[in-house]
Amino acid sequence: MDVNTRKINHIKSSAANYYIANYPITSFVRYGADLLVIGTDHGGLFLYDKRENKFIQHLHNILNPKSIANNQVFSLYLDRDKNLWVGNFSGGINRLNLNDTKFKTVLDGSTNLPVSTGSVLGLSEDKQGNIWIATDGNGVFMLDQKD
């Protein structure tokens, strides 16, 4: 929305783009001036390039360990180092450097950690660089990035 004119622009996907409208949008975060990262329920992660008016979709690929862990993205957080943290339905957490778009699995949702048994609904960072994880039914956890 343009706050001066109060005009709202609806971003529509065209036949040339992926169909983001088919998936509920669960979260989004801006990266720089022209990129919007959008999490969806069952549609994975979309990157929207404002300059190109183009969507790029990232889906889980069982044959690619550097793909997103789960297509149900519930939370996104951009840390101070410009890494994107992605919280998933199954308790999995990915970290993504948007310059190379390779996902690193931080938690895969199948570990024995309590966080992996609940959906990751929120992510945040404290002054020390620890990542805080809010879950659905399993409380709050802290991930010390120094370990």
Side-chain angles (χ1 to χ4, degrees):
M1 178 168 115
D2 184 320
V3 292
N4 296 323
T5 64
R6 301 187 56 80
K7 181 180 177 187
I8 297 175
N9 295 319
H10 181 205
I11 301 169
K12 298 178 184 174
S13 52
S14 67
N17 291 325
Y18 293 97
Y19 296 104
I20 193 168
N22 292 335
Y23 305 104
I25 294 173
T26 56
S27 55
F28 60 90
V29 65
R30 192 179 73 163
Y31 184 84
D34 296 318
L35 189 64
L36 185 66
V37 184
I38 304 166
T40 68
D41 188 2
H42 288 88
L45 191 75
F46 285 85
L47 304 179
Y48 173 67
D49 186 326
K50 183 177 171 183
R51 284 179 295 164
E52 302 285 328
N53 191 30
K54 180 179 176 182
F55 289 95
I56 299 169
Q57 186 178 25
H58 291 275
L59 292 168
H60 174 67
N61 179 346
I62 196 165
L63 301 175
N64 181 359
K66 297 201 183 283
S67 71
I68 192 167
N70 188 298
N71 290 332
Q72 290 179 279
V73 176
F74 283 176
S75 56
L76 298 171
Y77 180 74
L78 190 63
D79 72 17
R80 60 181 165 204
D81 295 326
K82 302 296 182 198
N83 292 304
L84 180 72
W85 293 78
V86 181
N88 298 303
F89 168 73
S90 65
I93 297 175
N94 291 114
R95 188 174 63 217
L96 172 67
N97 180 317
L98 289 168
N99 294 322
D100 67 11
T101 63
K102 292 178 183 168
F103 292 86
K104 179 182 178 189
T105 300
V106 177
L107 291 173
D108 68 6
S110 64
T111 64
N112 291 329
L113 298 173
V115 68
S116 57
T117 59
S119 299
V120 177
L121 300 180
L123 296 158
S124 188
E125 180 180 21
D126 64 23
K127 291 179 182 179
Q128 291 76 35
N130 300 310
I131 299 297
W132 290 85
I133 305 162
T135 66
D136 178 17
N138 285 317
V140 177
F141 298 86
M142 184 193 77
L143 178 65
D144 184 347
Q145 292 196 73
K146 296 176 202 91
D147 291 343

